[in-house]
């Protein structure tokens, strides 16, 4: 390689695995993107998406300057004009209709871009609306609710110690495609291989023989949405068969007797009837989990975004406690990150049901309302109706439920501003689009996912390229807007310093800072000397001292979970013969925004509906033909393929597609044929307890088109 080539090291920001990258550049050209062999956790692993970061950087469709809608046209405007206009419109609408007339949607990539986390809150505070929504309630809200209710902090989230376990049981997660979630584990394939090579077992419970199920020791099909019955039956078995093996946490537990009484009706027979899993298999799972010294139970999207997502995630925590996995090596451990470690006194612990959504009375969690309520809050007239939306790093018209109604809602807004660098299915409805710098033009420290990693480490990297003159980072846009909004409202505003300064202060005051750990004395300056990251060692037990509950106890039986069990029992009495729709992820796709890069969309199509051959036959439909899929709220037409990868009664359609809409300016994505599966998901079908959306187990009808 010629001498004018420079190597840059950087963590990938695309998914939760945060793999280390080595990016070689020559001038302003990217020569190659490879794995960083010296990253202490990813150790050189990358997936095919990483190289597409070059395509994001170079994409001619990516906006570099703010644009304003004039009729059907987009006109480039200056940053001052864009920020002034946005602040004036938002404050004007709030002055006329009240603070709640502005709604806020924060999407997934914001969590992967740390300036959004350090600076986003100030903008939210300046706007002071109750109508805050985010991808949390399309995703991991049940995890956070269980963490808050049992451990006293929404981010007290133990992760599977996959590198040291002998049995990992996964309900509804597909790390071979997703690379892990709520469990930062770069190189899922390598880690799963290593688990099996040392004699450990992987068991997957999933309605589809997913990529992970395919490499597991055992795969058990489960009827979508029925996991709560199975998980409670496991608890039931643990009690009945005297399998409870509490560890050092036993003196800190409360609610054991209440739990045992409450789950009494949820036996294996009921679980079998609901889930299709043989009672013997459920008992075996309970026995294996209890009798394997280092075992862990993990559940992800498949058991979060379903009708009983909250009960499922609570039950998973309970089982890990009852088998002694919580806070044990090879079980579920809490990460010890350099920034924002969770321990007693950590702010932002969360709260639940302090206020409710205006139209349907759904509970808030940590100041957010369910994304499923967004459309009705925009469309239903009355005091507090949303008249303007702010979206940040989100594409809700593809990613959120009942996309058809949400589109009607967004069309009706008086004003919509998007912080985004694409004109996509959502932002095409905007009045103003504020594009931040591209991913390689800003520095990077992963606040969210270093906190959820299966191994402790810290890593900071400077930008690969200088940002273009006059461009703004997300956090600078937040500052610009917050300053203007505060001025218009006559409020004081002190801008926060740059994210690396904020994080530096946090790191110094945290567990590896000079005060707490003089030997390590971690700071941003020190991190900057280690471009591959600093290894902070394997996860350690020590959860007892970190517990955030007021009484220092773990409550196994929070009242609101027990109160939700009659709803679960009632569901067992309903019968339905509809097909149940589930989603699926593919390693070359990433939610809704990575379809504009040729290298990720080429090859055989991956957006079709999967259906079991028996279900096709029963309807007289041939494989590879056009079908119409219909739910209560919508209808889409796409190609069906026959496969026994899905169990009978289940159909699978991936999310994130549907870019063919008029006005979308993503030249490659808009040519892709995949349809938007969220035109089928139902805003009224949500987990009543947590308010989380139901994206899996949606009843649909499939007919020949
Ligand atoms: N049916 C179904 N629906 C689902 C899911 C499912 O499994 N099934 N999954 C759900 C889940 S888990 C999630 S997290 C959501 C994701 O849904 P959203 O949170 O809405 O996120 P994306 O669809 O990924 O859209 C991301 C947007 O952010 C923009 N963007 C990318 N990087 C940046 C940046 O640095 N700054 C800014 N300002 N913008 C940026 C992109 O251009 C894109 O428009 O989808 C949910 N929807
Ligand atoms: N390549 C790629 N990686 C990603 C993403 C992506 O879009 N593409 N998105 C990222 C994001 S935002 C997230 S949140 C994570 C998600 O990470 P994961 O949760 O690991 O990903 P999913 O593919 O949604 O896995 C859900 C699994 O649950 C199964 N399932 C569906 N319904 C049920 C059910 O009722 N019960 C059970 N037991 N299983 C069920 C599905 O078949 C699927 O295999 O992935 C992240 N990583
Ligand atoms: S697995 Fe995720 S973090 Fe790793 S290279 Fe792929 S997209 Fe990036
Ligand atoms: Mo997600």
């Amino acid at each position: 390689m010629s001498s004018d080539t420079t190597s840059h090291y950087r963590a990938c920001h695309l998914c939760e695995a945060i793999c280390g990258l080595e990016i070689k550049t020559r001038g302003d050209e990217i020569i190659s993107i490879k794995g960083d062999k010296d990253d202490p956790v990813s150790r050189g692993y990358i997936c095919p998406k990483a190289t597409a970061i070059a395509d994001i950087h170079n994409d001619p469709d990516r906006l570099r300057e703010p644009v304003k809608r004039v009729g059907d046209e987009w006109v480039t405007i200056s940053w001052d004009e864009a920020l002034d206009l946005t602040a004036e419109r938002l404050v004007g609408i709030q002055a006329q209709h009240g603070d709640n007339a502005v709604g806020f949607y924060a999407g997934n990539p914001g969590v992967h871009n740390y300036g959004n986390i350090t600076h986003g809150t100030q903008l939210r505070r300046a706007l002071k609306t109750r109508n805050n929504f985010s991808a949390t309630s399309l995703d991991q809200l049940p995890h956070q609710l269980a963490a808050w209710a049992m451990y006293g902090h929404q981010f007290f989230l133990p992760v599977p110690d996959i590198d040291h376990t002998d049995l990992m049981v996964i309900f509804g997660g597909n790390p071979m495609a997703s690379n892990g979630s709520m469990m930062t584990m770069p190189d899922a394939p390598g880690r799963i291989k290593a688990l099996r090579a040392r004699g450990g077992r992987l068991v997957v419970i999933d309605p589809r023989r997913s990529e992970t199920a395919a490499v597991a020791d055992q795969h058990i099909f489960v009827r979508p949405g029925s996991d709560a019955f199975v998980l409670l039956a496991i608890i039931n078995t643990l009690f009945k068969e005297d399998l409870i093996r509490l560890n050092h946490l036993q003196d800190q537990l409360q609610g054991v007797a209440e739990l045992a009484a409450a789950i009494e009706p949820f036996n294996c027979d009921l679980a079998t009837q609901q889930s299709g899993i043989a009672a013997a298999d459920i008992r075996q799972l309970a026995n294996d989990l209890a009798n394997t010294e280092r075992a862990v139970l993990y559940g992800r999207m498949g058991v979060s975004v379903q009708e009983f997502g909250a009960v499922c995630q609570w039950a998973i925590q309970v089982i890990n406690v009852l088998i002694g996995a919580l806070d044990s090596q090879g079980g579920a451990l809490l990460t010890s990150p350099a920034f924002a470690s969770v321990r007693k006194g950590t702010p932002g612990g969360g709260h639940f049901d302090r206020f409710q959504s205006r139209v349907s009375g759904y509970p808030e969690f940590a100041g957010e309302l369910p994304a499923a309520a967004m459309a009705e809050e925009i469309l239903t007239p009355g005091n507090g109706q949303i008249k303007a939306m702010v979206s940040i790093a989100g594409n809700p018209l593809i990613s959120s439920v009942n996309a058809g109604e949400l589109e009607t809602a967004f069309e009706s807004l008086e004003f919509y501003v998007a912080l985004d660098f694409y004109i996509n299915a959502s932002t095409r409805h905007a009045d103003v689009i504020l594009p931040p710098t591209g991913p390689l033009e800003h520095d990077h420290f992963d606040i969210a996912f270093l906190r959820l990693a299966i191994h402790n480490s810290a890593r900071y990297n400077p930008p690969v390229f200088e940002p273009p003159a006059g461009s703004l980072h997300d956090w600078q846009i937040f500052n610009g807007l917050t300053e203007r909004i505060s001025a218009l409202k006559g409020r004081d505003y002190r801008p926060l310093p740059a994210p690396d300064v904020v994080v530096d202060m946090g790191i110094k005051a945290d567990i590896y800072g000079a005060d707490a750990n003089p030997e390590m004395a971690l700071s941003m300056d020190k991190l900057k000397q280690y471009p591959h990251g600093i290894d902070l060692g394997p996860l350690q037990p020590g959860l007892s001292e970190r517990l955030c509950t007021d009484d220092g106890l773990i409550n196994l039986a929070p009242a609101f979970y027990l109160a939700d069990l009659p709803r679960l029992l009632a569901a067992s009495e309903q019968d339905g013969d509809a097909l149940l729709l589930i989603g699926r992820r593919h390693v070359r796709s990433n939610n809704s925004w990575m379809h504009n890069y040729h290298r990720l969309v080429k090859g055989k199509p991956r957006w079709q509906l999967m259906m079991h051959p028996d279900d096709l036959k029963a309807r007289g439909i041939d494989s590879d033909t056009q079908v119409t899929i219909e739910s209560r709220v919508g209808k889409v037409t796409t190609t069906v393929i026959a496969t026994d990868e899905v169990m009978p009664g289940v159909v699978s359609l991936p999310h994130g597609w549907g870019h063919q809409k008029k006005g979308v300016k993503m030249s490659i994505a808009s040519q892709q044929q995949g349809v938007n599966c969220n035109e089928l998901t139902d805003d009224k079908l949500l987990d009543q307890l947590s308010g989380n959306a139901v994206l899996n187990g949606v009843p649909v009808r499939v007919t020949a088109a």
Side-chain angles (χ1 to χ4, degrees):
M1 197 125 310
S2 77
S3 58
D4 54 358
T5 302
T6 314
S7 281
H8 307 261
Y9 299 95
R10 183 184 181 80
C12 177
H13 65 288
L14 291 175
C15 87
E16 298 175 45
I18 58 173
C19 304
L21 307 177
E22 179 183 18
I23 304 176
K24 288 206 163 106
T25 61
R26 191 182 296 129
D28 53 16
E29 202 187 333
I30 298 167
I31 309 289
S32 68
I33 299 182
K34 300 216 164 83
D36 175 1
K37 289 190 287 300
D38 296 321
D39 181 287
V41 193
S42 65
R43 305 173 298 206
Y45 174 84
I46 52 167
C47 85
K49 287 185 294 300
T51 47
I53 294 176
D55 305 339
I56 305 176
H57 182 71
N58 294 320
D59 192 351
D61 290 334
R62 181 165 64 83
L63 295 177
R64 270 88 170 161
E65 291 167 293
V67 291
K68 170 173 95 171
R69 165 188 302 287
V70 179
D72 276 346
E73 299 291 310
W74 292 102
V75 180
T76 300
I77 53 175
S78 72
W79 274 107
D80 273 334
E81 182 183 347
L83 296 172
D84 287 344
L85 170 73
T86 300
E88 276 159 24
R89 291 299 310 268
L90 294 176
V91 173
I93 286 169
Q94 286 191 316
Q96 197 186 343
H97 302 285
D99 286 345
N100 296 336
V102 170
F104 201 91
Y105 175 80
N108 169 275
V111 209
H112 296 267
N113 175 342
Y114 81 130
N116 280 260
I117 302 178
T118 52
H119 288 63
T121 317
Q122 276 203 322
L123 177 58
R124 263 175 45 165
R125 279 204 198 110
L127 284 170
K128 226 178 126 219
T129 169
R130 279 187 170 189
N131 281 315
N132 287 305
F133 309 94
S134 84
T136 291
S137 51
L138 302 170
D139 188 347
Q140 81 289 355
L141 172 56
H143 295 248
Q144 289 174 225
L145 183 63
W148 171 79
M150 296 175 70
Y151 312 128
H153 196 292
Q154 58 172 327
F155 298 126
F156 202 101
L157 298 159
V159 297
D161 187 14
I162 186 169
D163 287 347
H164 305 105
T165 196
D166 295 322
L167 172 66
M168 180 154 176
V169 177
I170 301 183
F171 272 74
N174 186 10
M176 288 294 287
S178 69
N179 268 290
S181 183
M182 306 302 278
M183 165 177 71
T184 287
M185 55 172 280
D187 191 14
R191 291 193 139 91
I192 288 172
K193 218 177 191 171
L195 159 75
R196 301 192 57 218
R198 63 174 183 266
R201 290 178 67 232
L202 176 67
V203 179
V204 172
I205 290 86
D206 199 303
R208 180 171 80 90
R209 197 185 326 107
S210 66
E211 292 77 356
T212 307
V215 299
D217 296 273
Q218 190 185 1
H219 168 220
I220 304 173
F221 280 119
V222 62
R223 192 173 153 270
S226 68
D227 302 82
F229 292 101
V230 182
L231 291 160
L232 295 181
I234 291 176
I235 301 179
N236 193 306
T237 308
L238 292 175
F239 277 108
K240 287 239 162 70
E241 299 189 13
D242 201 12
L243 293 169
I244 292 172
R245 313 260 185 274
L246 299 177
N247 62 9
H248 57 276
L249 297 173
Q250 59 181 307
D251 296 333
Q252 279 178 288
L253 304 180
Q254 63 168 3
V256 181
E258 292 89 330
L259 170 73
I263 53 96
E264 183 67 29
F266 296 91
N267 55 39
C268 290
D269 293 336
L270 176 62
T272 299
Q273 181 217 330
Q274 292 300 307
S275 68
I277 302 180
D281 283 341
I282 300 173
R283 283 194 199 99
Q284 192 65 49
L285 271 176
N287 275 273
D288 290 349
L289 280 165
N291 294 330
T292 307
E293 190 165 330
R294 300 186 300 178
V296 66
L297 176 61
Y298 161 81
R300 201 47 280 271
M301 279 294 279
V303 285
S304 287
V305 289
Q306 55 154 280
E307 254 185 287
F308 297 95
V311 166
C312 284
Q313 292 299 346
W314 161 64
I316 287 169
Q317 294 304 319
V318 166
I319 293 169
N320 279 334
V321 169
L322 296 180
I323 62 169
L326 183 69
D327 206 36
S328 292
Q329 214 210 18
L333 294 168
L334 210 51
T335 310
S336 297
F339 180 78
S341 70
V342 182
R343 59 215 146 98
K344 210 163 177 71
T346 302
H351 39 78
F352 179 46
D353 208 12
R354 278 199 190 155
F355 60 90
Q356 294 75 32
S357 69
R358 176 181 63 106
V359 179
S360 288
Y362 299 138
E364 65 80 35
F365 181 77
E368 284 186 13
L369 291 167
M374 210 162 14
E376 65 182 24
E377 291 296 335
I378 297 173
L379 290 171
T380 312
N383 197 7
Q385 180 185 10
I386 298 175
K387 303 276 187 180
M389 280 298 299
V390 180
S391 78
I392 293 164
N395 191 359
L397 267 50
I398 287 190
S399 301
S400 191
V401 285
N402 196 350
E405 189 187 38
L406 200 54
E407 176 158 356
T408 308
F410 269 65
E411 278 167 354
S412 76
L413 289 169
E414 283 181 23
F415 183 72
Y416 169 26
V417 57
L419 269 76
D420 205 302
F421 38 55
Y422 282 108
I423 301 179
N424 59 26
S426 301
T427 61
R428 74 198 162 104
H429 294 291
D431 297 285
V432 179
I433 305 179
L434 307 173
T437 48
L440 299 181
E441 295 162 351
H442 58 78
D443 62 353
H444 187 66
F445 175 88
D446 211 301
I447 291 182
F449 300 107
L450 288 170
R451 242 178 163 188
L452 288 171
I454 52 131
H455 188 95
N456 299 314
S457 74
R459 180 171 184 147
Y460 169 86
N461 294 113
V464 174
F465 296 110
E466 278 299 307
S471 61
L472 296 181
H473 303 304
D474 282 274
W475 65 270
Q476 292 171 315
I477 303 174
F478 288 126
N479 274 359
L481 283 177
T482 312
E483 183 189 348
R484 286 167 173 81
I485 290 167
S486 304
L488 289 168
K489 290 186 171 181
R491 292 219 205 99
D492 281 345
Y493 162 70
R494 288 229 325 273
L496 283 173
D500 63 328
V501 179
V502 175
V503 168
D504 181 53
M505 293 188 287
I507 290 177
K508 286 175 175 160
D510 217 311
I511 52 179
Y512 307 98
D515 288 345
N517 190 334
E519 223 170 288
M520 177 66 75
L522 206 58
S523 66
M524 200 42 109
D525 276 345
K526 184 162 178 184
L527 269 187
K528 286 177 180 171
Q529 295 162 33
Y530 294 86
H532 308 286
I534 295 183
D535 190 337
L536 297 168
L539 306 192
Q540 302 291 347
L543 180 149
S544 300
E545 300 81 65
R546 291 170 68 179
L547 264 185
C548 298
T549 50
D550 292 337
D551 53 10
L553 300 177
I554 297 171
N555 187 0
L556 292 187
F560 62 80
Y561 288 116
L562 304 193
D564 202 32
L565 297 182
R567 182 175 71 100
L568 181 61
L569 264 189
S572 73
E573 276 146 29
Q574 291 160 11
D575 44 17
D577 52 4
L579 291 165
L580 297 177
L581 175 72
I582 62 168
R584 83 181 172 265
R585 283 179 158 77
H586 190 279
V587 74
R588 289 184 174 270
S589 181
N590 194 22
N591 296 324
S592 80
W593 71 287
M594 295 285 292
H595 296 142
N596 210 40
Y597 317 115
H598 178 68
R599 72 179 98 204
L600 294 185
V601 292
K602 69 181 183 199
K604 72 177 205 264
R606 292 181 278 268
W607 40 258
Q608 302 102 321
L609 182 77
M610 286 182 175
M611 190 161 169
H612 193 276
D614 294 351
D615 288 327
L616 279 172
K617 208 165 142 206
R619 288 163 184 78
I621 303 173
D622 290 328
S623 186
D624 217 9
T625 60
Q626 292 289 101
V627 289
T628 298
I629 318 162
E630 235 174 309
S631 73
R632 186 189 73 87
V633 302
K635 165 156 104 169
V636 296
T637 297
T638 192
T639 309
V640 69
I641 45 169
T643 173
D644 66 1
E645 213 176 289
V646 289
M647 64 192 281
V650 172
V651 288
S652 166
L653 192 65
H655 76 289
W657 299 92
H659 310 286
Q660 312 89 341
K661 303 268 169 166
K662 185 169 161 268
V664 169
K665 295 201 188 308
M666 298 181 79
S667 46
I668 297 177
S670 57
Q671 283 168 31
Q672 306 304 315
Q673 293 176 60
V675 294
N676 182 357
C677 79
N678 282 320
E679 288 180 23
L680 300 168
T681 54
D682 188 337
D683 57 313
K684 296 287 185 286
L685 179 73
L686 76 180
D687 174 12
Q688 295 288 340
L689 175 53
S690 65
N692 209 41
V694 172
L695 307 172
N696 284 320
V698 178
V700 293
R701 245 161 48 91
V702 176
T703 49

